[in-house]
Amino acid sequence: METRALFAATAQSFVDLVTALPSPVADPALWSSPALGVWDLRALVGHTNRALVTVSTYAATTIEHGADPSTSTSTSTSGAVLDDAAEYLQAATRTATDPDEVAARGVAAGAALGTDPEAAVTAARDQALAVLAAVPSGTRIPVVGGLLLPVEEYLRTRIVELVVHGGDVARAATAAGAPVSASPPAEAVVAATLLLAEVGARRGDGALLLAALTGRGSLPPGYSVL
């Protein structure tokens, strides 16, 4: 499936997941229950929704300032130019991801969901797809840390976010007594797995990952490629 179509399908699966949850009005305790790290379920859903919101924000910046499709480079930013999603995830993890700031943004994003998270995530999905429709394929967009990344490569990282945190949401809600299932497209799960494996291999963990995947070893407790 083409990257934009896969992003759209994965975004829909997240909307479906949130739709399946009782609303904060119907079950306020659920939305304040522990979910992931310092986040309650509301903050976790809000953070996951940022995978949609940031697409709109970053792509809209490109549209507002203009882009040259022939060079696939935004004319609005002079940040470091990156070529692919794995390179971006490595760079963002090293230089642009402060854990406290990420946690705070998640809390704020959760609060922004209001009393109708279903409507909020649906609107975020619709806005992201509408803005993307105006961005030519291959255009570099300014993302976190002032980095410039081809739009389709950024979407690959958003698919990872939606798949991984969709699973987190489902597990947290189920543990809190509201059993739901995350059902992203199988192709999105494959894409997320491949991208994260590539990040790990590029940072020198390829042999470790291969051993674990083939039953010849195990990953250290708490291991993460991010």
Side-chain angles (χ1 to χ4, degrees), residues 10-216:
T10 310
Q12 181 60 54
S13 74
F14 174 61
V15 171
D16 292 342
L17 174 61
V18 175
T19 299
L21 294 170
S23 74
V25 175
D27 191 351
L30 171 66
W31 289 83
S32 61
S33 62
L36 182 67
V38 300
W39 287 330
D40 59 14
L41 185 66
R42 174 178 284 278
L44 176 57
V45 172
H47 172 78
T48 309
N49 193 46
R50 281 180 51 78
L52 306 177
V53 173
T54 57
V55 170
S56 299
T57 302
Y58 298 153
T61 299
T62 300
I63 295 169
E64 290 168 3
H65 293 275
D68 181 357
S70 66
T71 60
S72 298
T73 303
S74 167
T75 60
S76 62
T77 309
S78 57
V81 177
L82 304 180
D83 292 324
D84 61 51
E87 188 179 12
Y88 164 75
L89 288 176
Q90 288 180 295
T93 300
R94 288 194 306 267
T95 63
T97 307
D98 179 272
D100 292 336
E101 291 180 1
V102 171
R105 285 195 296 268
V107 172
L113 296 172
T115 59
D116 193 350
E118 177 186 351
V121 300
T122 299
R125 185 273 316 274
D126 292 346
Q127 179 68 11
L129 296 182
V131 173
L132 279 173
V135 179
S137 178
T139 299
R140 294 186 190 275
I141 62 174
V143 296
V144 65
L147 305 171
L148 286 168
L149 186 68
V151 61
E152 285 80 13
E153 292 300 305
Y154 185 65
L155 294 182
R156 293 178 64 203
T157 73
R158 301 308 88 190
I159 290 169
V160 169
E161 288 282 310
L162 291 167
V163 170
V164 172
H165 287 313
D168 292 334
V169 169
R171 284 187 291 271
T174 299
V180 292
S181 297
S183 301
E187 191 172 340
V189 177
V190 171
T193 303
L194 290 174
L195 177 53
L196 292 176
E198 183 178 357
V199 172
R202 286 193 187 186
R203 80 174 192 182
D205 291 345
L208 177 68
L209 292 169
L210 280 174
L213 289 170
T214 56
R216 289 163 171 79

